[in-house]
Amino acid sequence: MVEYRIDRRSGVATYLQIVQQTKQALRLGLLEPGDRLPTAREVVAATAINPNTVLKAYRELEREGLVEPRPGLGTFVRRSLARPGAAADSPLRAELADWTDRARAAGLDHEDVTALVASVLEERFGKTAAPGERGHEENG
Amino acid sequence: MTDEIDASGALEASGLGKKYRRGWALRDVAFRLPAGRICALVGPNGSGKSTLLSLAAGLLTPTTGTLRVFGRSSDAPGARARIAFVAQDKPLYPRFSVADTLRLGRELNPRWDQKTAERVVAEGEVPLSARVGSLSGGQRTCVALAMALGKRADLLLLDEPMSDQDPLRRHRMMGVLMAEAAERGTGVVISTHVLAELDGVCDYLLLMGGGRIRLAGEADAIQAAHRLVTGPRAAGGGTPDALARHTVVETRATGRQLTALIRPADAPAGDGWIVTEPSLEDVLLGYLRAPDAPPLFTADARTTGTEVEA
Amino acid sequence: MSAIGIRVRASAGTRPRVRGLVWLVARQHRAALWAGLAVVVAIAAYIVWQRAEMMGYVRAHDIQGCTEQNWEGLCHGRDIDPRDGTSPTADALRHLSDTYRTPLLNTGRLLIALPALIGVFIGAPLFARELETGTHRLVWTQSVGRTRWLIAKLALPLTAVTTGTAVLAALYTWWWRAARPQLQDIAWGTAVPFDATGPAAVALAPPAFLLGAAAGLLLRRTVPAMAVTLGATAGVQYGLDALRPHLMTPWTVVSDAPGAFPSIPRNVYFTAWRDLGGGFLTRSGEKVPLDRCSSATDSEDAWNRCLERFGATRRWYEELHPASHYWPMQWTQTGICLAAAVALAAVCLWWIRRGRA
């Protein structure tokens, strides 16, 4: 089960924060197909946000084919976003860790590394990263 | 969340006016609030918020016009059971215990839900045996909210419910309120003059000023209908030509620069103008600073009697 | 009565529970109810005790039905008005009057003050306090209508104060009837005992209570409502006092000279409410009330001349209400009070239905 953290000052629409945090959980394997998302009631009781916002977020996730509502039961995860390469023990991660160590040895600090990674990501993926993705801490 | 579709809407006002001995508190108010919305009723003190809520609760009778509650006159007997009202001063019997107060709700409401009421009181950490007169302001509010939620109404009218709550209890109470809305599709109207209190909570907006409605409708739609533009100030002061074809809500000049909140007639382009989407708070502040700006009603806030402005 | 929510539900093994608005009103006025009960019990106990003491004394001295004002001066054949000195019977009658007249009259005064107290302390705050503190909005936004609320708010205390007053009035009437033969000089038509005995005593409570309630409803402020109620109930009781001799046409009895006995049975004369007015008759039988010459009291001469000018003879007339008028007058006053109560209740209903409160 995920627990949503709503940042009212982030400037990101509340429903988008829920969408992004759900995807994040799917990517990291915290949510797997068959898992139930918290009900709108549970979410709003904890976060004190508008229930329609939660429903809007779930509709968005449903539209993307990530979740499906089962009447009377709740909303369930349909497919995962976890890729083998993103898992905590994947070779790609190990390579990135190696590279980060080297960057550090070369005298780059945290901000330098982040800027460098962001610029490469932008160059290779194009401008897709939504601002809401920024705030999440690394899991691992 | 149950889809309660009420063709007539939770509230529908037309030509609504209320005159007190000292003058008109509400004038010519017409709007529509669909069922199941969380509506923020915003406006400066004395703008008519409390009067509007008291009229909807059936405590006052309109001087002119009508206010319909789920299609029925607000003082009709059937309307009373569908509405719960928490007045600004949270009237409760000071010599009753909290348990007695909840029993009052149970005795006087056929649809009373004791469990919900007790849960709200427990959430606010108010002991059932305490005398109401000995409670703090925040605890009283909590009991008043428990009364409103226990009634199992379809529309909750809350007049500045959070003004005396500490941040923790405010968050909890809002959570309880939203959970109730999520579970039963209950509509909520919350009046406030601190919009930040309702950030992320409301999806509908009524802005009042001088006894009239100035903005009414979906919060998203209202936000989307506005643009914040920044550009060069006109030579002689006044509104620059580039903005003339838009509805200008408010302009502010800083040095040679001019910032305006506008309702664009079409794509608000123009050489040298920076266009951004304002936050809801920007929009509200703009209207509050410009009391003469033309009102805006989005499509589902309009009644047949509402003049179409946008 | 289900319209105001009296539903007494007896669930197995528990005592019946009051429900709805009746519960609310009873809960709200719990303290007042106990206080009122305590007052009733205290006064009732006092009346029972005083009456028992008095009757004990009367029996011990065998002076039942005797009065100092007895025309014959005899009590069961014993002299009560000896020419010289005194007699044990006369002493006993004097002692009876000295000991029990004041408590009897003072208790009556307390009882006729009760309607005003009920109006001021129970009626006036009933709605005024709710309207003043805004708690009426708590009830008005529940699922019951204002009219039902108003009816429950009025009906319950009304029942309570009427019951309490009825108990006290009955006990006082019981005491009064035992004391009356010995203390015949007390005029029965004055406020004490008339307003403290019989149905009239009970019927004063509802209009006083409703007067207070209506004042509170209209004025919306407790203290002004209490002041208005105090003034109005005092005015009403004063007005009733002035009206009372006219509730029925008094009898006119005639005697040959002032002080001579009129031509009616003596026991009727002595049990009548007298001192309503009197004067002399002219030869043709017209009345010349004494007060017509009240300005000519410088000397007996002037007075006689004044009376002669009006053609007065030495024939004396007197107006009085015989004891048989007591019950018709009681019921007439009761009717007036209940009509006023109905009118006041109607005002309250009309006011709340108009949505003015």
Side-chain angles (χ1 to χ4, degrees):
Chain A
M1 188 80 85
V2 286
E3 203 173 292
Y4 299 109
R5 285 164 289 108
I6 304 301
D7 181 358
R8 287 164 200 261
R9 306 199 164 273
S10 67
V12 181
T14 313
Y15 90 94
L16 220 50
Q17 294 189 40
I18 294 176
V19 169
Q20 286 161 359
Q21 287 175 35
T22 311
K23 286 182 177 174
Q24 181 88 353
L26 288 170
R27 245 175 236 123
L28 295 171
L30 298 172
L31 278 176
E32 286 174 0
D35 283 355
R36 187 173 71 84
L37 293 185
T39 63
R41 186 186 194 290
E42 288 164 344
V43 175
V44 301
T47 58
I49 57 166
N50 190 308
N52 292 323
T53 309
V54 183
L55 297 176
K56 189 174 173 188
Y58 284 11
R59 267 199 300 279
E60 178 73 19
L61 290 165
E62 189 191 336
R63 208 177 47 77
E64 292 183 29
L66 296 173
V67 301
E68 60 178 353
R70 293 184 201 156
L73 294 174
T75 305
F76 290 83
V77 176
R78 256 181 81 187
R79 67 182 172 84
S80 171
L81 284 177
R83 312 226 176 117
D89 53 354
S90 75
L92 279 172
R93 193 181 195 290
E95 274 176 47
L96 187 59
D98 279 346
W99 176 83
T100 308
D101 289 341
R102 283 208 309 277
R104 202 170 175 184
L108 273 63
D109 66 14
H110 189 288
E111 277 177 26
D112 296 330
V113 172
T114 312
L116 192 55
V117 170
S119 76
V120 174
L121 283 176
E122 205 168 295
E123 184 190 315
R124 297 297 157 107
F125 284 102
K127 256 190 174 175
T128 53
E133 305 262 11
R134 282 174 300 166
H136 299 300
E137 48 190 352
E138 260 184 319
N139 276 358
Chain B
M1 176 139 176
T2 52
D3 283 25
E4 188 162 332
I5 294 150
D6 226 312
S8 47
L11 288 179
E12 187 162 357
S14 74
L16 185 66
K18 178 70 193 176
K19 193 183 181 182
Y20 295 120
R21 230 168 273 156
R22 58 181 187 274
W24 288 91
L26 276 190
R27 268 220 114 147
D28 213 12
V29 165
F31 72 92
R32 190 171 164 277
L33 172 68
R37 299 309 184 94
I38 316 291
C39 173
L41 178 58
V42 194
N45 290 329
S47 57
K49 302 189 297 285
S50 293
T51 301
L52 180 62
L53 290 177
S54 290
L55 283 165
L59 290 176
L60 296 176
T61 345
T63 311
T64 63
T66 54
L67 179 57
R68 305 198 143 261
V69 175
F70 296 107
R72 274 185 279 193
S73 166
S74 58
D75 49 6
R80 205 176 298 115
R82 300 191 68 179
I83 280 204
F85 177 53
V86 175
Q88 197 169 347
D89 55 346
K90 285 99 192 172
L92 295 169
Y93 290 113
R95 280 187 293 181
F96 278 30
S97 69
V98 174
D100 278 341
T101 306
L102 297 190
R103 173 143 185 218
L104 184 158
R106 191 164 83 225
E107 296 290 351
L108 302 188
N109 295 291
R111 293 203 273 174
W112 181 256
D113 179 353
Q114 180 77 10
K115 250 192 217 144
T116 299
E118 277 177 10
R119 196 173 61 230
V120 178
V121 167
E123 194 80 29
E125 287 164 352
V126 183
L128 278 172
S129 57
R131 255 171 40 112
V132 166
S134 69
L135 299 180
S136 71
Q139 286 175 315
R140 278 174 67 91
T141 303
C142 178
V143 176
L145 273 175
M147 292 294 286
L149 287 169
K151 196 182 173 189
R152 282 239 170 278
D154 297 318
L155 181 65
L156 301 177
L157 305 168
L158 313 175
D159 198 354
E160 308 220 357
M162 303 299 171
S163 52
D164 50 6
Q165 299 278 44
D166 60 67
L168 179 61
R169 193 183 271 119
R170 178 183 305 179
H171 184 83
R172 280 189 189 160
M173 289 296 111
M174 213 47 123
V176 168
L177 208 58
M178 290 305 111
E180 185 70 10
E183 198 169 22
R184 301 195 55 250
T186 314
V188 186
V189 180
I190 307 176
S191 86
T192 179
H193 55 261
V194 191
L195 183 76
E197 229 175 56
L198 297 179
D199 195 20
V201 172
C202 62
D203 54 19
Y204 214 84
L205 193 71
L206 286 173
L207 173 67
M208 296 194 72
R212 292 166 198 270
I213 300 280
R214 305 190 53 210
L215 283 174
E218 301 268 355
D220 289 351
I222 287 176
Q223 194 178 352
H226 292 88
R227 287 291 180 275
L228 216 47
V229 295
T230 308
R233 205 171 161 180
T239 312
D241 296 338
L243 300 180
R245 59 203 164 92
H246 307 294
T247 308
V248 178
V249 175
E250 186 226 359
T251 56
R252 272 180 304 157
T254 323
R256 246 171 280 144
Q257 207 181 23
L258 183 92
T259 306
L261 181 69
I262 60 165
R263 297 211 297 260
D266 45 65
D271 295 326
W273 289 88
I274 305 158
V275 182
T276 54
E277 188 171 311
S279 71
L280 199 54
E281 194 154 10
D282 291 332
V283 175
L284 283 170
L285 285 173
Y287 277 82
L288 288 173
R289 276 191 296 255
D292 298 322
L296 171 70
F297 290 78
T298 68
D300 53 3
R302 277 179 217 137
T303 62
T304 40
T306 315
E307 42 192 312
V308 180
E309 276 283 348
Chain C
M1 287 297 270
S2 69
I4 56 165
I6 299 182
R7 266 172 288 142
V8 178
R9 185 185 291 170
S11 42
T14 61
R15 62 202 177 101
R17 283 204 317 139
V18 265
R19 303 191 58 85
L21 281 166
V22 175
W23 172 82
L24 171 64
V25 178
R27 171 66 189 82
Q28 263 186 291
H29 301 288
R30 201 166 59 183
L33 205 66
W34 286 116
L37 194 65
V39 169
V40 169
V41 167
I43 299 178
Y46 178 74
I47 291 175
V48 170
W49 171 59
Q50 282 291 310
R51 186 187 184 278
E53 291 263 291
M54 185 194 79
M55 290 311 286
Y57 187 83
V58 165
R59 268 192 294 271
H61 294 83
D62 192 25
I63 48 173
Q64 248 156 316
C66 301
T67 169
E68 282 183 292
Q69 279 70 40
N70 192 312
W71 195 258
E72 282 116 12
L74 290 175
C75 171
H76 307 298
R78 286 168 282 138
D79 199 354
I80 54 171
D81 191 16
R83 291 260 156 74
D84 44 343
T86 183
S87 74
T89 310
D91 282 344
L93 277 172
R94 206 164 300 124
H95 179 261
L96 182 81
S97 178
D98 288 350
T99 313
Y100 296 104
R101 175 188 294 259
T102 308
L104 182 72
L105 293 180
N106 280 346
T107 308
R109 285 179 192 120
L110 177 65
L111 291 191
I112 65 167
L114 277 186
L117 294 176
I118 287 168
V120 170
F121 291 104
I122 303 176
L126 188 76
F127 295 117
R129 188 159 295 152
E130 299 242 16
L131 293 167
E132 204 167 46
T133 55
T135 45
H136 63 293
R137 288 172 298 153
L138 175 67
V139 180
W140 290 6
T141 48
Q142 308 303 315
S143 304
V144 295
R146 302 176 190 193
T147 307
R148 283 174 59 191
W149 173 74
L150 180 116
I151 291 171
K153 290 270 295 180
L154 289 179
L156 240 68
L158 192 60
T159 311
V161 298
T162 310
T163 310
T165 315
V167 167
L168 293 182
L171 286 171
Y172 189 72
T173 308
W174 181 55
W175 184 15
W176 166 256
R177 291 176 77 85
R180 168 84 181 142
Q182 291 78 238
L183 305 169
Q184 279 191 5
D185 56 315
I186 303 174
W188 56 257
T190 46
V192 174
F194 194 88
D195 283 350
T197 57
V202 186
L204 274 169
F209 166 74
L210 289 163
L211 189 68
L217 193 61
L218 270 60
L219 294 172
R220 310 174 64 102
R221 287 264 173 282
T222 309
V223 175
M226 287 169 95
V228 165
T229 307
L230 182 63
T233 45
V236 165
Q237 281 183 289
Y238 184 80
L240 282 173
D241 217 28
L243 179 68
R244 196 169 305 111
H246 310 290
L247 289 178
M248 285 182 82
T249 313
W251 285 5
T252 302
V253 294
V254 177
S255 51
D256 294 336
F261 203 80
S263 52
I264 54 164
R266 286 178 179 199
N267 65 322
V268 173
Y269 183 76
F270 279 112
T271 55
W273 174 22
R274 300 193 300 274
D275 305 327
L276 299 177
F280 294 97
L281 292 178
T282 63
R283 224 169 286 279
S284 57
E286 275 174 78
K287 291 174 183 173
V288 183
L290 271 190
D291 51 9
R292 200 170 292 174
C293 287
S294 56
S295 55
T297 48
D298 314 337
S299 68
E300 202 167 332
D301 252 14
W303 199 57
N304 280 334
R305 270 201 306 278
C306 168
L307 286 171
E308 270 165 36
R309 213 174 42 240
F310 289 110
T313 64
R314 296 292 292 165
R315 288 187 75 210
W316 172 257
Y317 81 90
E318 195 177 339
E319 289 179 336
L320 54 82
H321 280 294
S324 63
H325 281 187
Y326 174 81
W327 284 106
M329 286 166 75
Q330 276 272 322
W331 288 115
T332 309
Q333 187 175 317
T334 303
I336 292 171
C337 289
L338 292 185
V342 170
L344 286 164
V347 166
C348 293
L349 269 174
W350 169 72
W351 188 262
I352 204 122
R353 286 222 174 124
R354 276 183 69 194
R356 296 290 299 270

